Amino acid sequence: MIVGEIGHFALWVAFAVACVQTAGGLVGGHRADPRLMQVAARAANAQMLMAVLAFSCLAVSFIENDFTLINVATNSNSRLPVAYRFAATWGSHEGSMLLWSLMLACWTAAVVNFGASLDAVVRSRVIGVLGLVSIGFLAFMLFTSNPFLRGLPAPPDGRDLNPLLQDPGMVIHPPMLYMGYVGFSVAFAFAIAALLGGRVDAAWTRWARPWTTAAWAFLTIGI
């Protein structure tokens, strides 16, 4: 199966566009250059698409029992119900990092597509800061914790998912918590954007409040 290779390639593309997003957002915000700010926004959307593709490839590998992937062989089993095989996608360190990066990309795309009322320079800096955070997580995965590593020859079956994670709530609980935890990166990005612009006043808290409330709501659902 080449699904794993497609997912790995998508991670590299996500890393590349995250670099473009960071440079375009921060430099564009500093220069108030609308072209660079637009490049950053498009790169953020592209990064989200690549993150969705990478996560989907890993999920398909778990569901289809592709035990040539070390991650799948270590954290799944052919006798697991499909729902738990899907949940096993984030049941490992590598998979949880990929889920974290996916959530971060989705939050960033939300700022791009639903933050039109924000000050353009502040929005660009927020996108740039979130891109920088994404670079850190993507680089960590690509260089030290790759979820798509192959292990050949493949074992006839996997080791099984951690029994503590074989619970219906674990299909919903981790994604909701991750959405909440990662959502606070947006509040962090607004704070850094305010510092970069020398505008540490009540304005940035007004801009950040809806995003912080949304993140808080996801944490509440997770609990």
Side-chain angles (χ1 to χ4, degrees):
M1 295 178 68
I2 63 168
V3 174
E5 281 64 39
I6 294 173
H8 191 198
F9 178 73
L11 281 183
W12 277 107
V13 176
F15 178 77
V17 295
C19 293
V20 174
Q21 173 189 328
T22 301
L26 295 179
V27 176
H30 179 70
R31 297 180 179 176
D33 186 332
R35 291 176 299 176
L36 286 177
M37 290 191 277
Q38 186 65 25
V39 166
R42 290 176 178 173
N45 283 327
Q47 188 204 151
M48 184 200 68
L49 292 175
M50 290 299 102
V52 169
L53 176 59
F55 184 83
S56 299
C57 287
L58 187 61
V60 167
S61 298
F62 271 95
I63 292 170
E64 297 296 324
N65 296 315
D66 183 6
F67 297 122
T68 63
L69 289 183
I70 296 174
N71 191 12
V72 178
T74 306
N75 298 282
S76 187
N77 188 285
S78 61
R79 293 184 294 276
L80 280 175
V82 173
Y84 289 156
R85 292 209 299 271
F86 176 71
T89 307
W90 56 79
S92 64
H93 173 73
E94 295 83 0
S96 62
M97 291 295 295
L98 181 54
L99 179 62
W100 192 281
S101 294
L102 170 64
M103 298 298 188
L104 182 57
C106 289
W107 276 106
T108 306
V111 172
V112 170
N113 296 295
F114 300 106
S117 61
L118 297 170
D119 178 84
V121 171
V122 172
R123 177 170 166 265
S124 180
R125 285 175 171 149
V126 168
I127 294 169
V129 171
L130 289 172
L132 191 60
V133 177
S134 291
I135 287 173
F137 281 102
L138 291 167
F140 181 82
M141 269 192 296
L142 287 167
F143 296 112
T144 69
S145 190
N146 187 353
F148 296 104
L149 283 179
R150 294 283 185 188
L152 298 174
D157 210 336
R159 293 182 189 172
D160 201 6
L161 177 65
N162 183 339
L164 294 175
L165 302 180
Q166 295 182 34
D167 182 275
M170 296 307 293
V171 181
I172 301 171
H173 173 69
M176 292 298 100
L177 286 186
Y178 276 36
M179 279 293 285
Y181 290 143
V182 180
F184 282 99
S185 298
V186 180
F188 165 76
F190 271 105
I192 298 299
L195 290 170
L196 289 174
R199 296 181 58 183
V200 187
D201 52 23
W204 81 268
T205 57
R206 284 199 308 274
W207 292 328
R209 187 176 294 120
W211 305 96
T212 306
T213 303
W216 198 319
F218 279 112
L219 283 178
T220 303
I221 294 170
I223 293 171

